[in-house]
Each structure stands twice: as structure tokens, then as C-alpha cells.
Amino acid sequence: MTPDISGDWHGVLDTGQAKVKLGLRFEGDTVWMNRRSGAVDPLALRRDGDGVGFELLPVDLAFVLRPVGDRLEGTCLHNSVDFPVSLAPGVALPVSHSVRPQTLTPPFPYEVEAISFTGADGSKRSGTLTRPPGLGRPRVIVLSCWFGEVDRDQTVAGHRPMALWADHLTRRGLATLRYDKRGVGASEGVFDTASTGDFAADLAAAIAFLRTRSDIGAVGLLGHSEGGHISADLAAADPHIAFCVMMTPTALPDEDILETEMFNAARLVGGVPRDFDRTVGFVRALAEASRAPTPEQTLARAREILAAAAYPAERLELRAAIAAKPWQRYWATHDHTAGLRGLTCPALVLLAEKDLQTPPRAHAAALRAANPAATVVTLPGLNHLLQPAVTGAPSEYREIETSLDPSAIDVVCDWISAL
């Protein structure tokens, strides 16, 4: 007979990619789940011996739990991985997050100007130009953020790394420009239909804007992750770019390293992959579908792949649409080292030893081979966000107080200053 577990329980699901707070209430044959959106879902509860199970299929969660002492212990199946779960009785106390130690506050010892320019789609981009005090025409660095719907500061988990880069570079005598991506923050336009190529076109528009100003000198580029790629692509096509910094870029298509890298973050937090070979084949097939000549063909092929894999009907259309998104289709055919190969300006490639998203063990050799003249540096102990890390799993981002490790700041700033 199942022990009485009625009432509230709380815990955390750590997938290696993110940590999600769990709030559950068991009442008879129903469990109620609090979600981050504020919605509360009533779910049917299965009983099996001394355990219980339930699913939240729209977000791909399936729980199996049983009482162990005063806790509920078990697993959550998510994205073909069983993750350990431990729940305590009661409702979790609210947690207040302190301001990150590196968070910037004015006044600043340099000029800060709100600017706007016209993006590649004709809509407004809004940003911040910083400029060291004094006369002259300082070199200016355009900062490009990583993948995703992020603002000019690349705000993530309470960290604002691009604001820190702008601050440190400006204190070194360089001007900087950072701006919100299209459809984000104060920038106009539509984010959801944009590809990496569209973000590169917006970067070209930012460079053109800077060249209209009489108080700015030569333009250099610095980008993080996807931002590093668009920086290299633009610098390779523009002989007037003074230098290019790529931070934690990739060199190989994602599907080329699935067997060794796909589940590393999950394993670090205790996850156990199910049907490894089947899952790898399934992801590789969807990547190939994204390379179809038209979005319609991608969508049709993705539906076939998902149906053949018995993908839950509740999520099939959503998952197929992801494969057909402009960003996914562009990235699936993007030559990740083309920009780096084509650079004639000085180039710095910064890698992070504990990076699980673009791990140096998989990408460093190809990056070095793409441009032997580039300076390639791997920093020990850092993750993809260039924070000091324990495991390197993205789910650690929020728990790490340091937004940007001083070793990364010094390497980049010293390299640029020496040019």
C-alpha cells in the first residue's frame, strides 16, 4: 500500500542545462504542479506499489517517485534522460537573490551615450556607446551577444557580461558599442523569424553607423559564441575591420560530436541517458531535415522523423516547427570556420576548459587549423559564459556569483591593447 503523501512537496530538477524549481501538491489520485509561468496543472496520479508516477507531456516531463524516509525520491524522464529528483515536504521558502558582485553602477569615468541605428530589416536598433574621455578618435569595438533572445548586456541568470566587457575595454581607452538584438529590449523588429545571417546583417548596419561618426576611429569586433561567428564572418568580408575576437566559438557541426558531447551536462548532474543510439540518430536525422531546400520540405521531413520515432503527439508539431525555423535552417548549413579562415586582420580565439557547449576538446584543433595566424587561448577552469566553474554545466550559471572571470578580461584587454 502506498504511504500517505498528501500535501505539498518541493525540490529542484537539475538537467545540467537548467535548474527548475518543483512545487507539487498531492490530493487523492491527482497531483498539482506549479509552473514558472504561474499556471497550476492538475495531473492524473498513477500508483504502483509504494510509488507514484505522473506526466506533464507538453513539456516532456515524466516522474516516478516513492517515499524514502521523510522525502520523496525518484527520477524525472526529460529529453531521453532520467534525472534524479528529491523532494522535501512543505512549500519552499522564497529565495532572494543578491546583486552580483560585478554589477556596474554609475557614475562611470567615461562617456555613456544612448544611440540608435537602422537595422538590416529597416527597423530601429537601440544600444549604448561608451567612449573614453578626452579628444581624439579612439578605436571602437562592437560587441555581439551569444545565441538567444538577449539584450545588449547579454543578461542571463542575473549576470550582464557584455556590460562588463564594455566597462573594462572603455577603461583601457577603447570605445564600445553594444545593442539589443532585433525584437529585444528597446530594439524594434521580430526576433523569432531571424537567423544568424540576419544578426550578421544587423552587425554590418552597426558598423556602417559607427563609420558615419567623426569622433570614432577604426572598428574592431568582439563576439561571444554565436556572436563570435557573426563577428568573424563580417571581419572576413570587410578588409577595414581592425581586429576580431571570438569567444567560445564552435568549429564542427553539432551532429558531428553527438556521440561524445550530447549528454555530458546531463551526466554531470546524475542523469542517465535512455536509448542512447536511438536518440543520437533521431537528433542527427532532424539536423539533416533542417538542410532541406525549403522550410516546407524541412517541416514535412521533420514530421515524418518524429512520427516514426513515436514522438508524443502533443509536442510533435512544436518540435517539427523548431527544425524549420529560419535560425535552425541557417545554422544547419553554416560553415562554422569560414569566417575564421577568411580573416586577414589580427584574430583572438578564446576557449574555456570547462565549456560544455563548445568544448575545446572537440573544437580547438579545428579552430587552430582554420587560421594558424590567429591567437588561440584556452583558459583553465572556466565555463561557456567565462565564469569560474565547478562542472561547467549551464545549470551552474545562476549559482556562480562571478559574472566574468578576471583571467578572461585580462587576456582579451591585454591582447587588444598590444595591437
Side-chain angles (χ1 to χ4, degrees):
M1 180 177 178
T2 305
D4 184 13
I5 59 172
S6 300
D8 293 304
W9 297 79
H10 70 274
V12 174
L13 171 63
D14 187 351
T15 69
Q17 297 298 326
K19 288 187 178 180
V20 180
K21 294 179 182 178
L22 300 174
L24 304 175
R25 173 173 291 179
F26 295 93
E27 296 179 357
D29 291 329
T30 301
V31 57
W32 301 79
M33 173 176 278
N34 291 319
R35 299 173 63 186
R36 283 188 293 179
S37 64
V40 179
D41 292 297
L43 306 170
L45 191 66
R46 299 189 315 276
R47 299 184 181 273
D48 181 14
D50 65 344
V52 295
F54 56 94
E55 293 87 26
L56 187 60
L57 291 177
V59 291
D60 186 26
L61 299 176
F63 291 86
V64 176
L65 303 167
R66 55 180 36 84
V68 178
D70 63 349
R71 301 184 72 87
L72 284 179
E73 306 279 353
T75 60
C76 174
L77 178 63
H78 175 65
N79 285 342
S80 301
V81 181
D82 282 307
F83 293 98
V85 174
S86 180
L87 303 176
V91 177
L93 296 175
V95 177
S96 59
H97 296 284
S98 59
V99 176
R100 304 296 185 188
Q102 291 173 297
T103 298
L104 300 170
T105 55
F108 302 112
Y110 48 79
E111 300 171 15
V112 179
E113 178 185 350
I115 60 89
S116 65
F117 61 92
T118 302
D121 62 350
S123 64
K124 184 182 75 172
R125 301 290 172 269
S126 295
T128 302
L129 180 70
T130 64
R131 191 175 181 281
L135 301 176
R137 301 176 66 244
R139 291 179 296 174
V140 60
I141 304 175
V142 189
L143 310 179
S144 295
C145 297
W146 67 357
F147 162 78
E149 199 169 348
V150 291
D151 62 14
R152 70 193 72 183
D153 294 340
Q154 194 175 296
T155 302
V156 57
H159 301 286
R160 301 172 61 194
M162 283 302 179
L164 288 172
W165 281 117
D167 180 75
H168 284 280
L169 290 165
T170 310
R171 290 173 187 268
R172 291 282 194 112
L174 300 150
T176 73
L177 172 64
R178 64 193 195 274
Y179 55 93
D180 300 331
K181 286 188 178 183
R182 59 172 68 186
V184 181
S187 284
E188 299 172 350
V190 179
F191 176 85
D192 286 343
T193 57
S195 70
T196 302
D198 294 320
F199 299 134
D202 283 344
L203 175 56
I207 295 168
F209 160 74
L210 288 171
R211 287 174 174 160
T212 67
R213 295 184 59 121
S214 60
D215 59 345
I216 293 296
V219 177
L221 305 179
L222 179 151
H224 181 208
S225 197
E226 181 190 32
H229 288 280
I230 68 171
S231 296
D233 291 347
L234 262 292
D238 185 341
H240 299 294
I241 296 297
F243 56 85
C244 181
V245 179
M246 302 177 73
M247 302 187 298
T248 62
T250 185
L252 305 172
D254 295 343
E255 60 270 22
D256 284 3
I257 56 174
L258 288 176
E259 284 86 352
T260 57
E261 307 297 333
M262 183 175 180
F263 292 111
N264 278 351
R267 290 190 178 102
L268 284 171
V269 296
V272 179
R274 285 192 190 181
D275 300 323
F276 181 89
D277 292 338
R278 174 180 175 275
T279 302
V280 168
F282 165 75
V283 174
R284 182 173 282 115
L286 284 177
E288 187 59 36
S290 293
R291 299 188 181 97
T294 68
E296 293 75 19
Q297 289 172 306
T298 290
L299 191 60
R301 179 62 185 135
R303 286 170 175 155
E304 293 173 359
I305 294 166
L306 293 163
Y311 202 78
E314 298 86 349
R315 293 184 288 114
L316 189 148
E317 283 301 318
L318 178 62
R319 184 64 184 84
I322 291 173
K325 283 177 71 73
W327 186 93
Q328 189 67 38
R329 284 174 46 79
Y330 187 99
W331 192 249
T333 58
H334 182 256
D335 184 340
H336 298 327
T337 60
L340 182 58
R341 292 197 309 271
L343 289 181
T344 56
C345 64
L348 171 65
V349 179
L350 195 65
L351 304 175
E353 177 201 14
K354 292 190 175 182
D355 183 354
L356 295 185
Q357 291 162 272
T358 55
R361 61 181 170 270
H363 299 285
L367 290 166
R368 288 190 174 94
N371 189 335
T375 300
V376 181
V377 178
T378 300
L379 294 176
L382 305 190
N383 61 19
H384 188 70
L385 199 57
L386 299 175
Q387 300 171 294
V390 177
T391 67
S395 58
E396 289 182 338
Y397 291 164
R398 187 171 296 278
E399 296 179 353
I400 299 171
E401 288 299 315
T402 302
S403 299
L404 196 57
D405 192 81
S407 66
I409 296 169
D410 289 343
V411 167
V412 172
C413 292
D414 289 348
W415 182 83
I416 294 174
S417 296
L419 294 175

mmCIF file of all heavy atoms in Angstrom, residues 298-317:
data_model
loop_
_atom_site.group_PDB
_atom_site.id
_atom_site.type_symbol
_atom_site.label_atom_id
_atom_site.label_comp_id
_atom_site.label_asym_id
_atom_site.label_seq_id
_atom_site.Cartn_x
_atom_site.Cartn_y
_atom_site.Cartn_z
ATOM 1 N N THR A 298 11.509 20.897 -45.023
ATOM 2 C CA THR A 298 12.033 20.597 -43.684
ATOM 3 C C THR A 298 10.911 20.183 -42.754
ATOM 4 O O THR A 298 11.021 19.188 -42.021
ATOM 5 C CB THR A 298 12.758 21.826 -43.105
ATOM 6 O OG1 THR A 298 13.966 22.037 -43.820
ATOM 7 C CG2 THR A 298 13.087 21.617 -41.631
ATOM 8 N N LEU A 299 9.814 20.941 -42.758
ATOM 9 C CA LEU A 299 8.702 20.653 -41.870
ATOM 10 C C LEU A 299 8.103 19.273 -42.153
ATOM 11 O O LEU A 299 7.843 18.492 -41.224
ATOM 12 C CB LEU A 299 7.633 21.733 -42.028
ATOM 13 C CG LEU A 299 6.508 21.760 -40.998
ATOM 14 C CD1 LEU A 299 7.072 21.979 -39.602
ATOM 15 C CD2 LEU A 299 5.507 22.861 -41.342
ATOM 16 N N ALA A 300 7.923 18.950 -43.423
ATOM 17 C CA ALA A 300 7.354 17.658 -43.784
ATOM 18 C C ALA A 300 8.279 16.515 -43.361
ATOM 19 O O ALA A 300 7.833 15.503 -42.810
ATOM 20 C CB ALA A 300 7.092 17.597 -45.288
ATOM 21 N N ARG A 301 9.567 16.666 -43.620
ATOM 22 C CA ARG A 301 10.524 15.613 -43.264
ATOM 23 C C ARG A 301 10.623 15.466 -41.747
ATOM 24 O O ARG A 301 10.685 14.346 -41.226
ATOM 25 C CB ARG A 301 11.898 15.953 -43.852
ATOM 26 C CG ARG A 301 12.968 14.941 -43.521
ATOM 27 C CD ARG A 301 12.641 13.587 -44.087
ATOM 28 N NE ARG A 301 13.612 12.582 -43.680
ATOM 29 C CZ ARG A 301 13.286 11.374 -43.240
ATOM 30 N NH1 ARG A 301 12.010 11.020 -43.148
ATOM 31 N NH2 ARG A 301 14.213 10.509 -42.892
ATOM 32 N N ALA A 302 10.601 16.591 -41.029
ATOM 33 C CA ALA A 302 10.675 16.519 -39.567
ATOM 34 C C ALA A 302 9.457 15.800 -38.994
ATOM 35 O O ALA A 302 9.573 15.009 -38.051
ATOM 36 C CB ALA A 302 10.789 17.924 -38.980
ATOM 37 N N ARG A 303 8.294 16.056 -39.557
ATOM 38 C CA ARG A 303 7.088 15.350 -39.095
ATOM 39 C C ARG A 303 7.223 13.850 -39.293
ATOM 40 O O ARG A 303 6.842 13.055 -38.417
ATOM 41 C CB ARG A 303 5.868 15.872 -39.850
ATOM 42 C CG ARG A 303 5.397 17.255 -39.423
ATOM 43 C CD ARG A 303 4.359 17.786 -40.378
ATOM 44 N NE ARG A 303 3.792 19.063 -39.949
ATOM 45 C CZ ARG A 303 3.248 19.946 -40.777
ATOM 46 N NH1 ARG A 303 3.199 19.681 -42.087
ATOM 47 N NH2 ARG A 303 2.760 21.072 -40.310
ATOM 48 N N GLU A 304 7.768 13.438 -40.435
ATOM 49 C CA GLU A 304 7.957 12.008 -40.707
ATOM 50 C C GLU A 304 8.910 11.382 -39.689
ATOM 51 O O GLU A 304 8.662 10.291 -39.167
ATOM 52 C CB GLU A 304 8.523 11.810 -42.117
ATOM 53 C CG GLU A 304 7.574 12.183 -43.235
ATOM 54 C CD GLU A 304 8.253 12.121 -44.597
ATOM 55 O OE1 GLU A 304 9.467 11.796 -44.635
ATOM 56 O OE2 GLU A 304 7.589 12.395 -45.614
ATOM 57 N N ILE A 305 10.010 12.084 -39.404
ATOM 58 C CA ILE A 305 11.008 11.570 -38.460
ATOM 59 C C ILE A 305 10.410 11.441 -37.064
ATOM 60 O O ILE A 305 10.585 10.423 -36.381
ATOM 61 C CB ILE A 305 12.237 12.495 -38.432
ATOM 62 C CG1 ILE A 305 12.957 12.457 -39.776
ATOM 63 C CG2 ILE A 305 13.189 12.125 -37.298
ATOM 64 C CD1 ILE A 305 13.970 13.573 -39.960
ATOM 65 N N LEU A 306 9.677 12.457 -36.641
ATOM 66 C CA LEU A 306 9.089 12.448 -35.309
ATOM 67 C C LEU A 306 8.010 11.383 -35.173
ATOM 68 O O LEU A 306 7.927 10.687 -34.146
ATOM 69 C CB LEU A 306 8.512 13.828 -35.003
ATOM 70 C CG LEU A 306 9.542 14.950 -34.868
ATOM 71 C CD1 LEU A 306 8.879 16.314 -34.980
ATOM 72 C CD2 LEU A 306 10.280 14.836 -33.534
ATOM 73 N N ALA A 307 7.190 11.237 -36.204
ATOM 74 C CA ALA A 307 6.137 10.213 -36.153
ATOM 75 C C ALA A 307 6.745 8.812 -36.108
ATOM 76 O O ALA A 307 6.295 7.948 -35.345
ATOM 77 C CB ALA A 307 5.216 10.350 -37.366
ATOM 78 N N ALA A 308 7.804 8.594 -36.889
ATOM 79 C CA ALA A 308 8.461 7.283 -36.902
ATOM 80 C C ALA A 308 9.107 6.969 -35.561
ATOM 81 O O ALA A 308 9.232 5.800 -35.173
ATOM 82 C CB ALA A 308 9.504 7.235 -38.013
ATOM 83 N N ALA A 309 9.518 8.004 -34.849
ATOM 84 C CA ALA A 309 10.149 7.823 -33.534
ATOM 85 C C ALA A 309 9.118 7.782 -32.413
ATOM 86 O O ALA A 309 9.490 7.777 -31.229
ATOM 87 C CB ALA A 309 11.146 8.946 -33.277
ATOM 88 N N ALA A 310 7.820 7.756 -32.776
ATOM 89 C CA ALA A 310 6.732 7.732 -31.783
ATOM 90 C C ALA A 310 6.821 8.918 -30.834
ATOM 91 O O ALA A 310 6.587 8.803 -29.636
ATOM 92 C CB ALA A 310 6.731 6.411 -31.013
ATOM 93 N N TYR A 311 7.174 10.065 -31.395
ATOM 94 C CA TYR A 311 7.252 11.283 -30.586
ATOM 95 C C TYR A 311 5.849 11.640 -30.115
ATOM 96 O O TYR A 311 4.887 11.522 -30.869
ATOM 97 C CB TYR A 311 7.829 12.406 -31.443
ATOM 98 C CG TYR A 311 8.440 13.544 -30.679
ATOM 99 C CD1 TYR A 311 9.707 13.432 -30.117
ATOM 100 C CD2 TYR A 311 7.765 14.751 -30.509
ATOM 101 C CE1 TYR A 311 10.288 14.477 -29.416
ATOM 102 C CE2 TYR A 311 8.332 15.804 -29.816
ATOM 103 C CZ TYR A 311 9.600 15.649 -29.269
ATOM 104 O OH TYR A 311 10.164 16.688 -28.573
ATOM 105 N N PRO A 312 5.679 12.081 -28.856
ATOM 106 C CA PRO A 312 4.339 12.382 -28.335
ATOM 107 C C PRO A 312 3.581 13.353 -29.231
ATOM 108 O O PRO A 312 4.115 14.404 -29.627
ATOM 109 C CB PRO A 312 4.622 13.003 -26.964
ATOM 110 C CG PRO A 312 5.939 12.417 -26.557
ATOM 111 C CD PRO A 312 6.720 12.269 -27.832
ATOM 112 N N ALA A 313 2.349 13.007 -29.550
ATOM 113 C CA ALA A 313 1.548 13.822 -30.465
ATOM 114 C C ALA A 313 1.358 15.239 -29.947
ATOM 115 O O ALA A 313 1.274 16.185 -30.738
ATOM 116 C CB ALA A 313 0.188 13.159 -30.688
ATOM 117 N N GLU A 314 1.330 15.389 -28.610
ATOM 118 C CA GLU A 314 1.109 16.712 -28.033
ATOM 119 C C GLU A 314 2.224 17.689 -28.360
ATOM 120 O O GLU A 314 2.048 18.903 -28.319
ATOM 121 C CB GLU A 314 0.979 16.609 -26.506
ATOM 122 C CG GLU A 314 -0.197 15.787 -26.013
ATOM 123 C CD GLU A 314 0.144 14.305 -25.920
ATOM 124 O OE1 GLU A 314 1.212 13.910 -26.434
ATOM 125 O OE2 GLU A 314 -0.660 13.560 -25.339
ATOM 126 N N ARG A 315 3.416 17.171 -28.676
ATOM 127 C CA ARG A 315 4.573 18.032 -28.910
ATOM 128 C C ARG A 315 5.159 17.903 -30.313
ATOM 129 O O ARG A 315 6.140 18.566 -30.631
ATOM 130 C CB ARG A 315 5.661 17.711 -27.876
ATOM 131 C CG ARG A 315 5.267 18.086 -26.467
ATOM 132 C CD ARG A 315 6.400 17.852 -25.477
ATOM 133 N NE ARG A 315 6.629 16.439 -25.229
ATOM 134 C CZ ARG A 315 7.722 15.762 -25.570
ATOM 135 N NH1 ARG A 315 8.692 16.374 -26.223
ATOM 136 N NH2 ARG A 315 7.846 14.493 -25.284
ATOM 137 N N LEU A 316 4.552 17.067 -31.145
ATOM 138 C CA LEU A 316 5.144 16.790 -32.461
ATOM 139 C C LEU A 316 5.225 18.037 -33.330
ATOM 140 O O LEU A 316 6.283 18.337 -33.906
ATOM 141 C CB LEU A 316 4.361 15.679 -33.159
ATOM 142 C CG LEU A 316 4.984 15.132 -34.443
ATOM 143 C CD1 LEU A 316 4.648 13.641 -34.602
ATOM 144 C CD2 LEU A 316 4.506 15.886 -35.687
ATOM 145 N N GLU A 317 4.125 18.768 -33.442
ATOM 146 C CA GLU A 317 4.119 19.940 -34.322
ATOM 147 C C GLU A 317 5.086 21.013 -33.839
ATOM 148 O O GLU A 317 5.771 21.659 -34.637
ATOM 149 C CB GLU A 317 2.711 20.510 -34.441
ATOM 150 C CG GLU A 317 1.801 19.721 -35.362
ATOM 151 C CD GLU A 317 2.335 19.638 -36.791
ATOM 152 O OE1 GLU A 317 2.842 20.671 -37.298
ATOM 153 O OE2 GLU A 317 2.264 18.564 -37.385
#
